[in-house]
Amino acid sequence: ITLFNEPSGAGALHPVMATMDKIIEYFMMQNFSLETGPLIEDDFHNFEALNLPKYHPARDMQDTFFVERNPDVLLRTHTSSVQVRVMQTTKPPIRVICPGRVYRNEAISARAHCFFHQIEGLAVDKGLTMADMKGTLEYMARAMFGEEARIRLRPNFFPFTEPSAELDLWHPHAKGGPQWIEWGGCGMVHPNVLRAAGIDPNVYSGFAFGMGIERTHPG
């Protein structure tokens, strides 16, 4: 206690973490709850419960780091595995966001890395439609990036959603100037995914979305 009181700066959040915190804050204000899960996952939660059975060709969309074989243990390739765990233990209505680090064996470039950060969202309730999903994402984009921000949806394929869409963001404050950015994916939760979690798809529907944080921070 007799040492000189040397002033020191408190530092600042990394831009990726600051962006993630801002997205989390927005969704929690919209009554979404925050859920996290293990970085090291089993095959069931990362693939099979998401309508990706063994030897499904769509598994090649995510080149995976395996920790063990027989049974398969791996570094999670998306935070969708957290959504599976929530659906298994929570009765609808469900509204959650699942942020975190994910791992894929990809070539490192200016736009890609072997690990990166995602925020995925899930809503399950009676009567949810694509219109609910689109409205949720539109309002979030404007809250995050200003009234000039907007989204567009392009048809795509994801095994765990049907119909599925690629999600683009008109980013008015992107580095290099305003531009469309490939933000992530979204769609209506596939009935097989609901069944795998013990939820009746004849009663409930849901939408899910996910976006890469590194692609959206203003810097």
Side-chain angles (χ1 to χ4, degrees):
I1 61 174
T2 60
L3 292 176
F4 292 108
N5 182 19
E6 296 183 3
S8 60
L13 284 174
H14 189 280
V16 169
M17 295 296 102
T19 302
M20 183 179 288
D21 286 349
K22 191 174 179 181
I23 295 174
I24 291 171
E25 181 181 8
Y26 169 79
F27 277 109
M28 293 189 75
M29 290 174 62
Q30 307 307 313
N31 293 321
F32 281 67
S33 62
L34 176 66
E35 298 288 344
T36 59
L39 299 179
I40 299 176
E41 266 294 3
D42 58 68
D43 184 90
F44 176 80
H45 288 93
N46 197 82
F47 289 125
E48 288 196 41
L50 292 164
N51 203 34
L52 282 159
K54 286 188 182 298
Y55 311 115
H56 193 292
R59 288 195 181 205
D60 294 339
M61 296 167 63
Q62 301 174 5
D63 202 358
T64 307
F65 288 109
F66 286 93
V67 178
E68 294 180 12
R69 286 290 202 178
N70 299 320
D72 286 344
V73 179
L74 49 99
L75 298 180
R76 67 183 183 188
T77 61
H78 44 206
T79 56
S80 302
S81 57
V82 182
Q83 298 178 15
V84 172
R85 293 177 179 275
V86 171
M87 287 190 289
Q88 288 178 320
T89 58
T90 307
K91 293 182 178 180
I94 296 170
R95 284 175 175 79
V96 296
I97 50 168
C98 311
R101 179 178 288 185
V102 299
Y103 302 84
R104 297 182 190 175
N105 188 15
E106 297 182 354
I108 296 175
S109 68
R111 294 183 58 83
H113 203 280
C114 59
F115 66 83
F116 52 97
H117 299 82
Q118 283 185 334
I119 283 190
E120 297 194 33
L122 170 73
V124 180
D125 205 344
K126 295 179 180 178
L128 291 181
T129 68
M130 287 281 283
D132 297 301
M133 181 191 74
K134 187 173 186 291
T136 298
L137 295 172
E138 282 275 14
Y139 280 110
M140 190 270 280
R142 291 175 184 170
M144 282 288 300
F145 305 107
E147 286 299 315
E148 297 176 25
R150 59 188 187 273
I151 67 166
R152 67 183 180 191
L153 303 179
R154 294 180 287 113
N156 206 334
F157 167 77
F158 300 108
F160 29 83
T161 52
E162 179 59 39
S164 304
E166 199 77 39
L167 172 63
D168 295 337
L169 165 71
W170 177 255
H171 196 331
H173 309 299
K175 187 175 182 180
Q179 58 185 288
W180 284 106
I181 291 176
E182 185 181 316
W183 200 7
C186 58
M188 300 302 294
V189 179
H190 198 291
N192 289 345
V193 175
L194 295 174
R195 289 190 192 98
I199 297 174
D200 187 349
N202 296 315
V203 177
Y204 296 99
S205 60
F207 63 80
F209 56 86
M211 61 276 293
I213 304 302
E214 280 84 350
R215 295 184 178 185
T216 52
H217 71 79

